[in-house]
Amino acid sequence: MPVCGLCKKEASLRASHIIPAFVFRWLRETSATGFLRSGTNPKVRAQDGLKVPLLCEECEQRFSRLERQFANSIFYPMQRQNVAEVEYADWFLKFCVSISWRILTYAIQRDLIVHFSEAQKRESTQALARWAQFLLDEVAHPGRFEQRLVLLGAIGRAPKGRQFQPNVNRYFMRSVDVDLANSESSAFTFAKIGPFALFGMIEFVERWQGTKITANGGTVGPRQYELPRGIFDYWMERAKHHSQSYRKISAAQQEKLVADIRFNPERFLNSGTFEAMEHDVRMFGRDAFWNHKLESAADE
Ligand SMILES: [Zn+2]
């Protein structure tokens, strides 16, 4: 009998989403054509995100409840009703930890942590254990393995001296992304759920002001952040990675995409994809779109 990754009880395991399924529904619904492409295999149209056998039924339900709360009280109000700021209660930290825990569990299972130093690997094991205890209500907070959130939005102009990717707005506003990243002095899980950029801290020394999700509740909304310098470049690397995987789409697939847009131009013009593209075009000129029209990060 397999063992549940979270509660460690023997059970048949459910195929659990790393990023909640509703996020992919949102991406499809607001995309130019109603289709998605998988970041790992952009040659096929995908309808859903990565799923792995991870949790028993009870733990899966525990995560589902948190996902519903996030969808209904934060994600949809901000995305659909343009609510600028929302309050959150204690459950939100649990939701964030549940995402970070899934990413780290998956990365360790698949041996995707080889780039970490020995010390960072030890910290990762500690983080995973602490996050599991918190998720199972055995401890009151995740300790030093904090959850940090940055709410991203459209960017109007490039900060001085910084190198932007031409798909920056599509990446910031719409992409779904998962990563386990490190530098010499920091290590974190990273999840991007549309404009919500979530960091599960494993090791960090620099200031991340305005980002911490607290156990007792707080608000999510636009604010001034103070982030390590490297984070911006990290995001641009991710944006570049996304656009490169979309360049692998064949000429036939490109034609199909263009045909879909021609068939239903209204859908395209009203889509979130188009809105994000417009921001990129405003910033970089037509090059941002017409020369790389398939760079859209996760949707088409
Ligand atoms: Zn379980």
Side-chain angles (χ1 to χ4, degrees):
M1 206 57 164
V3 171
C4 170
L6 184 62
C7 69
K8 308 294 179 196
K9 287 179 195 150
E10 284 189 2
S12 55
L13 300 184
R14 296 277 308 269
S16 310
H17 280 94
I18 300 289
I19 295 288
F22 83 85
V23 178
F24 297 93
R25 274 199 300 278
W26 161 77
L27 209 50
R28 286 200 302 274
E29 283 163 12
T30 56
S31 77
T33 65
F35 290 101
L36 307 180
R37 288 187 191 273
S38 130
T40 45
N41 188 6
K43 290 180 181 162
V44 291
R45 278 181 162 168
Q47 291 304 298
D48 226 345
L50 179 65
K51 271 198 270 190
V52 281
L54 210 56
L55 298 171
C56 72
E57 180 63 30
E58 196 187 327
C59 291
E60 181 71 24
Q61 289 309 323
R62 190 190 294 268
F63 282 16
S64 292
R65 279 194 297 276
L66 295 168
E67 290 173 7
R68 270 197 300 278
Q69 275 178 302
F70 172 64
N72 294 332
S73 59
I74 297 182
F75 187 86
Y76 281 130
M78 293 183 98
Q79 286 298 314
R80 284 187 179 156
Q81 287 117 42
N82 286 323
V83 176
E85 189 167 62
V86 289
E87 286 185 16
Y88 64 81
D90 52 358
W91 61 268
F92 186 47
L93 182 58
K94 279 230 157 67
F95 169 76
C96 294
V97 170
S98 83
I99 298 287
S100 301
W101 178 88
R102 282 177 251 196
I103 297 171
L104 189 54
T105 301
Y106 177 75
I108 290 174
Q109 274 182 2
R110 301 290 163 105
D111 210 16
L112 303 173
I113 195 167
V114 284
H115 54 301
F116 273 34
S117 69
E118 287 310 311
Q120 287 172 338
K121 283 179 189 163
R122 281 194 298 276
E123 281 297 277
S124 300
T125 312
Q126 297 271 323
L128 201 61
R130 181 74 188 202
W131 288 342
Q133 284 179 315
F134 176 65
L135 290 168
L136 294 167
D137 301 318
E138 293 167 9
V139 293
H141 54 78
R144 66 182 187 278
F145 305 109
E146 297 170 352
Q147 305 299 301
R148 294 190 169 262
L149 182 82
V150 178
L151 185 63
L152 295 165
I155 283 192
R157 62 193 161 84
K160 245 188 174 167
R162 307 312 289 272
Q163 203 59 41
F164 265 112
Q165 287 296 318
N167 64 335
V168 59
N169 283 299
R170 278 162 280 171
Y171 182 75
F172 274 10
M173 294 164 74
R174 294 189 53 78
S175 72
V176 175
D177 197 5
V178 166
D179 192 29
L180 179 68
N182 71 327
S183 67
E184 258 173 43
S185 58
S186 62
F188 51 77
T189 59
F190 177 61
K192 204 171 154 306
I193 301 178
F196 299 86
L198 171 69
F199 298 83
M201 309 311 291
I202 297 167
E203 181 187 36
F204 69 104
V205 288
E206 290 164 295
R207 283 163 72 83
W208 288 69
Q209 209 169 332
T211 60
K212 189 177 172 181
I213 302 297
T214 61
N216 305 325
T219 58
V220 178
R223 67 196 54 182
Q224 290 284 354
Y225 300 107
E226 193 184 315
L227 300 172
R229 272 190 81 79
I231 291 302
F232 185 81
D233 299 327
Y234 169 70
W235 280 330
M236 290 309 98
E237 269 303 305
R238 299 301 301 170
K240 190 173 164 188
H241 173 78
H242 268 241
S243 75
Q244 278 167 349
S245 40
Y246 283 84
R247 274 191 205 151
K248 290 178 196 152
I249 299 176
S250 72
Q253 288 160 338
Q254 291 188 28
E255 264 169 42
K256 171 107 185 72
L257 170 58
V258 172
D260 281 351
I261 290 173
R262 282 211 187 105
F263 181 72
N264 194 348
E266 205 133 308
R267 178 183 179 124
F268 173 64
L269 293 172
N270 288 317
S271 68
T273 313
F274 181 70
E275 189 196 341
M277 278 175 174
E278 271 195 311
H279 285 289
D280 284 335
V281 170
R282 222 168 279 149
M283 206 164 141
F284 300 99
R286 291 168 71 87
D287 279 1
F289 182 27
W290 297 108
N291 291 346
H292 321 275
K293 60 185 166 217
L294 294 162
E295 281 186 357
S296 179
D299 54 335
E300 55 172 57

